Amino acid sequence: QVQLVESGGGLVQPGGSLSLSCAVSGRAFGMYTMGWFRQPSGADREFVAGISWNGRNTYYGDSVKGRFTISRDNTKNTAYLQMNGLTPDDTAVYYCAAVGSYSGTYQYVKADDYTFWGQGTQVTVSS
């Protein structure tokens, strides 16, 4: 059984930064494409960022391009989301997700693409 646990959420002022982590246990982390999604209160889940199994292919939702960076460390079974230039519109519950894939080019941007999910971590951007 694969388990994903997010951490690093919290309250931050506009313009600030936060770094989220997603620790993965279970089967080999290196076989998974990882993704981050977010869901504001009362809204649909939105794709934020994705990263291929080897870290060579990264892609982002339009609303976070140039501000957020996804990365992974396969030796630590962990994926990361560095968030800079945060605004109140970034307030949401952030989820990490995983899907078994060795594709280095396919972009997994839909929630239905992913098999495993974390429980989510709240990010609140407010002064």
Side-chain angles (χ1 to χ4, degrees), residues 24 28-34 51-56 71-80 102:
V24 180
F29 177 70
M31 67 179 284
Y32 293 110
T33 286
M34 300 298 298
I51 186 167
S52 61
W53 68 276
N54 57 8
R56 293 176 183 173
S71 61
R72 66 189 295 160
D73 185 340
N74 286 358
T75 67
K76 297 182 178 179
N77 288 6
T78 303
Y80 305 95
Y102 281 120

Side-chain angles (χ1 to χ4, degrees), residues 15 23 43 48 56 64 76 90-92 105 116 119 126:
V48 174
R56 293 176 183 173
V64 306
K76 297 182 178 179
D90 295 315
T91 295
T105 58
F116 304 104
Q119 82 290 347
S126 175

Side-chain angles (χ1 to χ4, degrees), residues 9-13 18 90-92 122-126:
L11 174 64
V12 63
Q13 293 186 342
L18 274 178
D90 295 315
T91 295
Q122 177 70 46
V123 172
T124 302
V125 184
S126 175

Side-chain angles (χ1 to χ4, degrees), residues 28-105:
F29 177 70
M31 67 179 284
Y32 293 110
T33 286
M34 300 298 298
W36 286 95
F37 288 75
R38 67 186 183 185
Q39 188 165 17
S41 179
D44 292 334
R45 195 164 295 192
E46 174 191 16
F47 172 75
V48 174
I51 186 167
S52 61
W53 68 276
N54 57 8
R56 293 176 183 173
N57 183 27
T58 60
Y59 39 99
Y60 300 89
D62 288 341
S63 61
V64 306
K65 282 180 182 177
R67 299 188 298 124
F68 290 12
T69 302
I70 188 172
S71 61
R72 66 189 295 160
D73 185 340
N74 286 358
T75 67
K76 297 182 178 179
N77 288 6
T78 303
Y80 305 95
L81 185 68
Q82 177 64 39
M83 305 184 293
N84 299 328
L86 287 162
T87 75
D89 287 342
D90 295 315
T91 295
V93 177
Y94 283 71
Y95 298 90
C96 68
V99 56
S101 173
Y102 281 120
S103 173
T105 58

